[in-house]
Amino acid sequence: MKAQFTRRHALAALAVSTGSFLTACKKPEEAGKGGDGGKAASGDVIKVGEFASLTGKEATFGQSSHKGTLLAIEELNAAGGVLGKKLELITEDTQSKQGESASVVRKLVSRDKCIAILGEVASGRSLEAAPICQNAKVPMISPSSTNPKVTEVGDFVFRVCFIDPFQGTVMALFAKNTLRAKNVAVLTDAAAPYSVGLATFFKEKFVADGGKIAVEQKFSSGDKDFKAQLTAIKASNPEAIFAPCYYTEAGLIAQQARQLGINLPIFGGDGWEAPELVTIGGKAMDGTFYSTHYSPEDKAEMVQTFVKKFKARWNGEVPDAMAALGYDSALVLADAIKRAGGTDGQKLRDALAATKDFVGVTGKTTLDAKRNATKPAVIIEVKDGKFVYKETVNP
Ligand code: PHE
């Protein structure tokens, strides 16, 4: 299921659909390397940068997000583009690696002269790139990074999803009210800002509501053996385990927990969302839960239309939360470009900041004074290897 991504999708798709001369502007050997010396294609396209983990440990995050983003860009172009210009999406792979986000976003900003940057999914990688966009006064929109610090980097940094104080609260209430747990162990990825933040917000709410943290154990992204931490967790006698990490580790954690005879509910946040969760975790994922941003089972017409279009474009694949948020991030940007009447960085920033009640597939996006959105969360249960929609929690 490894897809091959090149950097010029949108442009290629555009050329196919319109017979435009635009592809002729790029030498074929430049595709995939993306070098065009920073020359805008004679001002008749609007260049939008995207950075995403298309490969590596969190590859499904970047691939999903990219597919949603590209679908939106293609639809906008098919409808005539924005302000009479086509959008060109220039995508760079962060390889799920530390350090890559900064270097690829620097290229998108300085070399490609993108007017805005979409990305990343993981908060740690958005945090790496945000100062570059802020300093260059190029608006950045993260589709799905939920750590509050991302938009705190500065007034050119936005997101179209909820933030982790909300997600932590949702899962604390879920533990208390649905799991009926009073004593929860927490297992945190100390190397991921997302994990550290979500663990903190969960603990605050859970303890404030009278719950107890049995024990907190830590690991580091990329670890494969969680037996020591799980043994300590078992000894602390919790009623459930909260593991706010990404799917690779979550699958291994559940598997090793079951091997150690820990048959408690294990639950996490949006970082669990990937088909690989059950590929890695297998049967061990039964009795696990996580919160996320959207469910393709949502009956809303806009969601069902999106699911249909996405499946048609991407080989029958059902769009997940990253795909939906990627899609919305591109639409929110296009809407702001229209309202700004152009792509000047400051004007575009101001238009983005004024985004209000913009209807997308993940609900209405209104950007608050801190450039964050407020949206409902969805809770998913993993049952027999399937992701089953359980409930929607409104802010
Ligand atoms: N919210 C996660 C983060 O901030 C990323 C994520 C979003 C993962 C949506 C899955 C789904 O790092």
Side-chain angles (χ1 to χ4, degrees):
M1 74 149 259
K2 196 162 155 33
Q4 210 45 58
F5 288 92
T6 60
R7 296 177 65 253
R8 302 283 176 183
H9 292 280
L11 192 62
L14 164 67
V16 169
S17 63
T18 63
S20 134
F21 70 96
L22 280 172
T23 36
C25 298
K26 318 275 175 215
K27 293 190 198 89
E29 63 269 23
E30 286 177 340
K33 285 186 279 163
D36 69 350
K39 285 178 262 111
S42 62
D44 49 6
V45 294
I46 295 174
K47 290 183 172 191
V48 176
E50 182 198 23
F51 66 120
S53 53
L54 300 175
T55 59
K57 207 164 80 55
E58 278 96 43
T60 71
F61 285 177
Q63 292 181 11
S64 283
S65 188
H66 172 71
K67 286 174 186 167
T69 305
L70 181 56
L71 177 61
I73 299 276
E74 288 174 354
E75 285 177 11
L76 288 160
N77 283 340
V82 179
L83 301 177
K85 294 182 181 186
K86 304 282 174 169
L87 299 169
E88 180 190 356
L89 185 69
I90 305 179
T91 306
E92 288 284 350
D93 181 9
T94 63
Q95 302 170 47
S96 311
K97 267 194 212 147
Q98 218 180 337
E100 272 310 302
S101 298
S103 90
V104 298
V105 167
R106 219 169 268 130
K107 284 188 214 162
L108 291 169
V109 167
S110 308
R111 178 196 63 197
D112 297 326
K113 309 269 183 276
C114 291
I115 57 99
I117 304 292
L118 303 175
E120 228 252 16
V121 172
S123 288
R125 293 192 279 272
S126 289
L127 279 166
E128 243 188 54
I132 295 161
C133 296
Q134 179 66 31
N135 290 338
K137 295 196 184 307
V138 172
M140 165 176 149
I141 309 174
S142 167
S144 47
S145 288
T146 47
N147 187 287
K149 291 190 182 123
V150 171
T151 45
E152 285 167 14
V153 168
D155 61 351
F156 277 73
V157 187
F158 300 84
R159 81 181 98 216
V160 294
C161 58
F162 58 63
I163 55 173
D164 285 334
F166 171 64
Q167 184 165 216
T169 297
V170 166
M171 290 323 270
L173 291 172
F174 173 77
K176 185 181 177 215
N177 300 331
T178 307
L179 298 178
R180 305 228 163 262
K182 292 187 190 68
N183 199 14
V184 170
V186 178
L187 183 49
T188 310
D189 179 347
Y194 158 75
S195 186
V196 175
L198 187 50
T200 304
F201 300 121
F202 170 83
K203 287 184 284 181
E204 275 172 16
K205 176 65 180 166
F206 192 66
V207 170
D209 284 356
K212 211 180 142 250
I213 302 301
V215 72
E216 180 166 8
Q217 288 286 312
K218 295 190 162 69
F219 64 92
S220 197
S221 314
D223 284 358
K224 296 202 163 52
D225 186 345
F226 304 91
K227 294 257 167 61
Q229 292 92 331
L230 288 166
T231 302
I233 286 175
K234 191 177 182 187
S236 75
N237 247 326
E239 292 161 285
I241 302 170
F242 182 51
C245 53
Y246 295 133
Y247 60 90
T248 310
E249 286 89 3
L252 294 172
I253 287 167
Q255 217 175 42
Q256 293 171 25
R258 303 313 184 215
Q259 281 164 12
L260 290 172
I262 304 172
N263 291 313
L264 302 169
I266 307 178
F267 61 110
D270 55 352
W272 279 32
E273 178 147 341
E276 276 66 12
L277 185 74
V278 288
T279 319
I280 298 167
K283 280 242 28 97
M285 298 320 296
D286 277 350
T288 67
F289 307 85
Y290 64 89
S291 47
T292 186
H293 305 258
Y294 127 113
S295 163
E297 290 174 48
D298 190 330
K299 294 284 170 287
E301 198 191 316
M302 179 131 188
V303 174
Q304 287 314 313
T305 308
F306 169 65
V307 170
K308 221 178 277 160
K309 288 189 294 192
F310 191 93
K311 284 167 92 176
R313 174 65 177 89
W314 300 109
N315 237 327
E317 192 175 315
V318 176
D320 58 15
M322 282 80 58
L325 286 164
Y327 184 82
D328 281 354
S329 70
L331 294 189
V332 164
L333 173 62
D335 175 65
I337 297 173
K338 280 182 211 155
R339 283 185 288 107
T343 56
D344 168 72
Q346 185 65 46
K347 287 194 184 125
L348 185 52
R349 189 227 81 89
D350 293 346
L352 276 168
T355 300
K356 195 166 179 292
D357 291 333
F358 182 84
V359 181
V361 291
T362 56
K364 278 187 189 163
T365 302
T366 294
L367 295 174
D368 64 20
K370 293 180 166 168
R371 299 164 301 283
N372 300 321
T374 301
K375 289 179 178 176
V378 164
I379 295 181
I380 306 285
E381 176 173 4
V382 188
K383 243 189 198 165
D384 302 321
K386 300 227 157 52
F387 299 107
V388 183
Y389 168 81
K390 220 173 140 55
E391 57 185 295
T392 298
V393 185
N394 287 305

PDB file of all heavy atoms in Angstrom, residues 302-318:
ATOM      1  N   MET A 302     -22.833  16.769   3.706  1.00  0.00           N
ATOM      2  CA  MET A 302     -21.504  17.232   3.290  1.00  0.00           C
ATOM      3  C   MET A 302     -20.449  16.137   3.521  1.00  0.00           C
ATOM      4  O   MET A 302     -19.559  15.928   2.701  1.00  0.00           O
ATOM      5  CB  MET A 302     -21.168  18.488   4.095  1.00  0.00           C
ATOM      6  CG  MET A 302     -19.817  19.031   3.767  1.00  0.00           C
ATOM      7  SD  MET A 302     -19.865  20.783   3.436  1.00  0.00           S
ATOM      8  CE  MET A 302     -18.197  21.049   2.868  1.00  0.00           C
ATOM      9  N   VAL A 303     -20.574  15.437   4.654  1.00  0.00           N
ATOM     10  CA  VAL A 303     -19.621  14.370   4.970  1.00  0.00           C
ATOM     11  C   VAL A 303     -19.775  13.221   3.972  1.00  0.00           C
ATOM     12  O   VAL A 303     -18.790  12.719   3.414  1.00  0.00           O
ATOM     13  CB  VAL A 303     -19.810  13.856   6.421  1.00  0.00           C
ATOM     14  CG1 VAL A 303     -18.913  12.656   6.696  1.00  0.00           C
ATOM     15  CG2 VAL A 303     -19.528  14.970   7.426  1.00  0.00           C
ATOM     16  N   GLN A 304     -21.009  12.816   3.723  1.00  0.00           N
ATOM     17  CA  GLN A 304     -21.233  11.695   2.808  1.00  0.00           C
ATOM     18  C   GLN A 304     -20.794  12.025   1.375  1.00  0.00           C
ATOM     19  O   GLN A 304     -20.259  11.170   0.675  1.00  0.00           O
ATOM     20  CB  GLN A 304     -22.701  11.237   2.870  1.00  0.00           C
ATOM     21  CG  GLN A 304     -23.032  10.491   4.177  1.00  0.00           C
ATOM     22  CD  GLN A 304     -21.984   9.429   4.546  1.00  0.00           C
ATOM     23  OE1 GLN A 304     -21.562   8.629   3.718  1.00  0.00           O
ATOM     24  NE2 GLN A 304     -21.523   9.443   5.800  1.00  0.00           N
ATOM     25  N   THR A 305     -21.007  13.259   0.960  1.00  0.00           N
ATOM     26  CA  THR A 305     -20.539  13.677  -0.370  1.00  0.00           C
ATOM     27  C   THR A 305     -19.010  13.622  -0.416  1.00  0.00           C
ATOM     28  O   THR A 305     -18.418  13.131  -1.388  1.00  0.00           O
ATOM     29  CB  THR A 305     -21.000  15.127  -0.678  1.00  0.00           C
ATOM     30  OG1 THR A 305     -22.405  15.178  -0.456  1.00  0.00           O
ATOM     31  CG2 THR A 305     -20.690  15.536  -2.092  1.00  0.00           C
ATOM     32  N   PHE A 306     -18.384  14.080   0.652  1.00  0.00           N
ATOM     33  CA  PHE A 306     -16.921  14.058   0.729  1.00  0.00           C
ATOM     34  C   PHE A 306     -16.409  12.615   0.669  1.00  0.00           C
ATOM     35  O   PHE A 306     -15.472  12.309  -0.079  1.00  0.00           O
ATOM     36  CB  PHE A 306     -16.472  14.745   2.028  1.00  0.00           C
ATOM     37  CG  PHE A 306     -15.014  14.548   2.357  1.00  0.00           C
ATOM     38  CD1 PHE A 306     -14.012  15.071   1.543  1.00  0.00           C
ATOM     39  CD2 PHE A 306     -14.633  13.830   3.487  1.00  0.00           C
ATOM     40  CE1 PHE A 306     -12.660  14.885   1.848  1.00  0.00           C
ATOM     41  CE2 PHE A 306     -13.291  13.634   3.799  1.00  0.00           C
ATOM     42  CZ  PHE A 306     -12.313  14.161   2.979  1.00  0.00           C
ATOM     43  N   VAL A 307     -17.031  11.731   1.430  1.00  0.00           N
ATOM     44  CA  VAL A 307     -16.605  10.321   1.451  1.00  0.00           C
ATOM     45  C   VAL A 307     -16.689   9.749   0.031  1.00  0.00           C
ATOM     46  O   VAL A 307     -15.769   9.077  -0.441  1.00  0.00           O
ATOM     47  CB  VAL A 307     -17.459   9.498   2.449  1.00  0.00           C
ATOM     48  CG1 VAL A 307     -17.184   8.005   2.307  1.00  0.00           C
ATOM     49  CG2 VAL A 307     -17.188   9.948   3.885  1.00  0.00           C
ATOM     50  N   LYS A 308     -17.776  10.054  -0.650  1.00  0.00           N
ATOM     51  CA  LYS A 308     -17.973   9.545  -2.012  1.00  0.00           C
ATOM     52  C   LYS A 308     -16.890  10.069  -2.962  1.00  0.00           C
ATOM     53  O   LYS A 308     -16.279   9.314  -3.723  1.00  0.00           O
ATOM     54  CB  LYS A 308     -19.367   9.994  -2.512  1.00  0.00           C
ATOM     55  CG  LYS A 308     -20.091   8.899  -3.294  1.00  0.00           C
ATOM     56  CD  LYS A 308     -21.480   9.364  -3.732  1.00  0.00           C
ATOM     57  CE  LYS A 308     -22.525   9.209  -2.621  1.00  0.00           C
ATOM     58  NZ  LYS A 308     -23.726  10.036  -2.816  1.00  0.00           N
ATOM     59  N   LYS A 309     -16.645  11.374  -2.897  1.00  0.00           N
ATOM     60  CA  LYS A 309     -15.652  11.973  -3.796  1.00  0.00           C
ATOM     61  C   LYS A 309     -14.245  11.452  -3.494  1.00  0.00           C
ATOM     62  O   LYS A 309     -13.452  11.194  -4.388  1.00  0.00           O
ATOM     63  CB  LYS A 309     -15.678  13.507  -3.652  1.00  0.00           C
ATOM     64  CG  LYS A 309     -16.916  14.135  -4.266  1.00  0.00           C
ATOM     65  CD  LYS A 309     -16.832  15.646  -4.312  1.00  0.00           C
ATOM     66  CE  LYS A 309     -16.821  16.272  -2.939  1.00  0.00           C
ATOM     67  NZ  LYS A 309     -17.017  17.737  -2.961  1.00  0.00           N
ATOM     68  N   PHE A 310     -13.963  11.308  -2.205  1.00  0.00           N
ATOM     69  CA  PHE A 310     -12.642  10.837  -1.799  1.00  0.00           C
ATOM     70  C   PHE A 310     -12.404   9.411  -2.284  1.00  0.00           C
ATOM     71  O   PHE A 310     -11.345   9.082  -2.833  1.00  0.00           O
ATOM     72  CB  PHE A 310     -12.509  10.914  -0.266  1.00  0.00           C
ATOM     73  CG  PHE A 310     -11.107  10.708   0.242  1.00  0.00           C
ATOM     74  CD1 PHE A 310     -10.258  11.776   0.474  1.00  0.00           C
ATOM     75  CD2 PHE A 310     -10.631   9.420   0.498  1.00  0.00           C
ATOM     76  CE1 PHE A 310      -8.963  11.583   0.949  1.00  0.00           C
ATOM     77  CE2 PHE A 310      -9.344   9.212   0.968  1.00  0.00           C
ATOM     78  CZ  PHE A 310      -8.508  10.296   1.199  1.00  0.00           C
ATOM     79  N   LYS A 311     -13.428   8.566  -2.118  1.00  0.00           N
ATOM     80  CA  LYS A 311     -13.291   7.168  -2.559  1.00  0.00           C
ATOM     81  C   LYS A 311     -13.094   7.096  -4.068  1.00  0.00           C
ATOM     82  O   LYS A 311     -12.293   6.304  -4.577  1.00  0.00           O
ATOM     83  CB  LYS A 311     -14.525   6.357  -2.140  1.00  0.00           C
ATOM     84  CG  LYS A 311     -14.530   6.011  -0.656  1.00  0.00           C
ATOM     85  CD  LYS A 311     -15.867   5.501  -0.199  1.00  0.00           C
ATOM     86  CE  LYS A 311     -15.964   3.993  -0.276  1.00  0.00           C
ATOM     87  NZ  LYS A 311     -17.276   3.542   0.278  1.00  0.00           N
ATOM     88  N   ALA A 312     -13.818   7.951  -4.785  1.00  0.00           N
ATOM     89  CA  ALA A 312     -13.693   7.948  -6.241  1.00  0.00           C
ATOM     90  C   ALA A 312     -12.283   8.384  -6.653  1.00  0.00           C
ATOM     91  O   ALA A 312     -11.700   7.854  -7.601  1.00  0.00           O
ATOM     92  CB  ALA A 312     -14.734   8.885  -6.851  1.00  0.00           C
ATOM     93  N   ARG A 313     -11.716   9.325  -5.941  1.00  0.00           N
ATOM     94  CA  ARG A 313     -10.396   9.860  -6.301  1.00  0.00           C
ATOM     95  C   ARG A 313      -9.264   8.925  -5.870  1.00  0.00           C
ATOM     96  O   ARG A 313      -8.235   8.835  -6.501  1.00  0.00           O
ATOM     97  CB  ARG A 313     -10.224  11.247  -5.644  1.00  0.00           C
ATOM     98  CG  ARG A 313      -8.840  11.877  -5.819  1.00  0.00           C
ATOM     99  CD  ARG A 313      -8.566  12.190  -7.282  1.00  0.00           C
ATOM    100  NE  ARG A 313      -7.282  12.851  -7.486  1.00  0.00           N
ATOM    101  CZ  ARG A 313      -6.129  12.196  -7.693  1.00  0.00           C
ATOM    102  NH1 ARG A 313      -6.114  10.884  -7.696  1.00  0.00           N
ATOM    103  NH2 ARG A 313      -5.013  12.867  -7.904  1.00  0.00           N
ATOM    104  N   TRP A 314      -9.445   8.268  -4.726  1.00  0.00           N
ATOM    105  CA  TRP A 314      -8.351   7.495  -4.130  1.00  0.00           C
ATOM    106  C   TRP A 314      -8.674   6.014  -3.988  1.00  0.00           C
ATOM    107  O   TRP A 314      -8.595   5.466  -2.889  1.00  0.00           O
ATOM    108  CB  TRP A 314      -7.933   8.097  -2.776  1.00  0.00           C
ATOM    109  CG  TRP A 314      -7.452   9.514  -2.875  1.00  0.00           C
ATOM    110  CD1 TRP A 314      -8.088  10.628  -2.425  1.00  0.00           C
ATOM    111  CD2 TRP A 314      -6.224   9.974  -3.473  1.00  0.00           C
ATOM    112  NE1 TRP A 314      -7.348  11.759  -2.700  1.00  0.00           N
ATOM    113  CE2 TRP A 314      -6.202  11.385  -3.347  1.00  0.00           C
ATOM    114  CE3 TRP A 314      -5.145   9.335  -4.104  1.00  0.00           C
ATOM    115  CZ2 TRP A 314      -5.154  12.157  -3.813  1.00  0.00           C
ATOM    116  CZ3 TRP A 314      -4.099  10.106  -4.567  1.00  0.00           C
ATOM    117  CH2 TRP A 314      -4.110  11.502  -4.426  1.00  0.00           C
ATOM    118  N   ASN A 315      -9.063   5.410  -5.087  1.00  0.00           N
ATOM    119  CA  ASN A 315      -9.099   3.947  -5.107  1.00  0.00           C
ATOM    120  C   ASN A 315      -9.990   3.286  -4.070  1.00  0.00           C
ATOM    121  O   ASN A 315      -9.639   2.251  -3.514  1.00  0.00           O
ATOM    122  CB  ASN A 315      -7.673   3.453  -4.831  1.00  0.00           C
ATOM    123  CG  ASN A 315      -7.206   2.583  -5.950  1.00  0.00           C
ATOM    124  OD1 ASN A 315      -8.031   1.875  -6.547  1.00  0.00           O
ATOM    125  ND2 ASN A 315      -5.917   2.612  -6.245  1.00  0.00           N
ATOM    126  N   GLY A 316     -11.116   3.917  -3.767  1.00  0.00           N
ATOM    127  CA  GLY A 316     -12.051   3.313  -2.825  1.00  0.00           C
ATOM    128  C   GLY A 316     -11.696   3.500  -1.361  1.00  0.00           C
ATOM    129  O   GLY A 316     -12.388   3.001  -0.476  1.00  0.00           O
ATOM    130  N   GLU A 317     -10.620   4.236  -1.100  1.00  0.00           N
ATOM    131  CA  GLU A 317     -10.211   4.438   0.295  1.00  0.00           C
ATOM    132  C   GLU A 317     -11.214   5.329   1.047  1.00  0.00           C
ATOM    133  O   GLU A 317     -11.689   6.327   0.520  1.00  0.00           O
ATOM    134  CB  GLU A 317      -8.831   5.112   0.279  1.00  0.00           C
ATOM    135  CG  GLU A 317      -8.134   5.123   1.618  1.00  0.00           C
ATOM    136  CD  GLU A 317      -6.716   5.709   1.497  1.00  0.00           C
ATOM    137  OE1 GLU A 317      -5.989   5.328   0.546  1.00  0.00           O
ATOM    138  OE2 GLU A 317      -6.378   6.542   2.343  1.00  0.00           O
ATOM    139  N   VAL A 318     -11.518   4.937   2.276  1.00  0.00           N
ATOM    140  CA  VAL A 318     -12.427   5.742   3.097  1.00  0.00           C
ATOM    141  C   VAL A 318     -11.603   6.815   3.816  1.00  0.00           C
ATOM    142  O   VAL A 318     -10.613   6.500   4.470  1.00  0.00           O
ATOM    143  CB  VAL A 318     -13.167   4.854   4.135  1.00  0.00           C
ATOM    144  CG1 VAL A 318     -14.043   5.706   5.051  1.00  0.00           C
ATOM    145  CG2 VAL A 318     -14.000   3.786   3.416  1.00  0.00           C
TER     146      VAL A 318
END
